[in-house]
Structures are given as C-alpha cells and as structure tokens.
C-alpha cells in the first residue's frame, strides 16, 4: 500500500486542522492505519491509530480529547482532525499502515510527512 499525507499548514494556538492520508493499492481495508509525528530535535512518536473497520481507535495521552482519527475505506482515506492545537503539536505528521492488529506495533508502510506549525 502507498500512502500520501496532506493538509498540514500554519495555524494559531487553539485552532484546528484536518490531515488527510490517501492510500492506494489493494486491500486497504485489511490495514490498521495510524498517524505519527516528529517534532524538531525529537524522535518520532505515535499519535493515533484506527483498526481496519474503524471501530477501535487509540490515542497518545497528549492528544486525547483534542484529536480524532477516522477512516473512509470506500475512499481509501484516513483523517486526523486536530482541534485545540497547542505549540507542542508542531511537528511533521506521517501516516502509516500495517497489516496487523497491534495498533502500537510496527508499521511497515509510511507516507511522506506533512508539516504542521502551531504559532502565534
């Protein structure tokens, strides 16, 4: 599966952005999808994941209640709605996919990143 992320940009603290990830290839519905991010000078970290049918999601604690991951399998799309953005959310965001069920496990497919900058 190939992934392409988009939707990043510059936003003020407290603002919102929606990231999109377009998938290509067969059997997208068989993949767990996730978003990761990497802030300047820091390691890449898990942000959110969603199971194959969209029924189960997982979030890192720092984004719970602010971010929502969703997917549209018919369109082969994964989204990350980000609300109440904070300065610490500034990072390059990556979408990823894996054929397994462990949402915090290893991801073998990665898209290019999209930069989110939160600044006043």
């Amino acid at each position: 599966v190939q992934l392409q992320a988009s939707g990043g940009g510059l936003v003020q603290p407290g603002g919102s952005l929606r990231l999109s990830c377009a998938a290509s290839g067969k059997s997208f519905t068989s993949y767990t999808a996730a978003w990761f991010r990497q802030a300047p000078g820091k390691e890449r970290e898990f942000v959110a994941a969603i199971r194959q049918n969209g029924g189960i999601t997982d979030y890192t604690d720092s984004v719970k209640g602010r971010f929502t991951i969703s997917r549209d399998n018919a369109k082969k799309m994964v989204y990350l709605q980000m609300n109440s953005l904070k300065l610490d959310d500034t990072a390059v965001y990556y979408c990823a996919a894996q054929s397994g069920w462990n949402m915090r496990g290893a991801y073998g497919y990665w898209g290019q990143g999209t930069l989110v900058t939160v600044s006043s």
Side-chain angles (χ1 to χ4, degrees):
V1 63
Q2 293 181 326
L3 305 169
Q4 185 164 354
S6 62
L10 175 64
V11 62
Q12 293 185 340
S16 298
L17 275 178
R18 189 177 82 154
L19 304 183
S20 299
C21 178
S24 61
K26 298 180 180 179
S27 303
F28 175 67
T29 54
S30 300
Y31 292 87
T32 293
W35 289 94
F36 288 74
R37 67 185 179 186
Q38 186 167 19
K42 296 186 177 181
E43 294 186 352
R44 187 165 59 190
E45 65 170 347
F46 170 86
V47 176
I50 187 166
R51 282 276 183 84
Q52 286 83 340
N53 65 1
I56 298 176
T57 57
D58 184 22
Y59 299 90
T60 192
D61 286 346
S62 62
V63 308
K64 284 181 180 177
R66 300 189 299 122
F67 290 11
T68 302
I69 189 171
S70 62
R71 66 191 293 165
D72 184 334
N73 285 337
K75 296 181 178 179
K76 296 184 180 180
M77 296 292 295
V78 181
Y79 305 100
L80 185 68
Q81 178 66 43
M82 305 185 295
N83 299 328
S84 302
L85 283 161
K86 304 177 180 180
L87 297 176
D88 287 348
D89 294 320
T90 295
V92 177
Y93 284 72
Y94 300 88
C95 59
Q98 54 144 307
S99 58
W101 294 83
N102 182 356
M103 290 187 284
R104 299 219 184 190
Y107 284 78
Y109 303 94
W110 293 86
Q112 91 294 354
T114 185
L115 177 62
V116 173
T117 303
V118 184
S119 175
S120 56

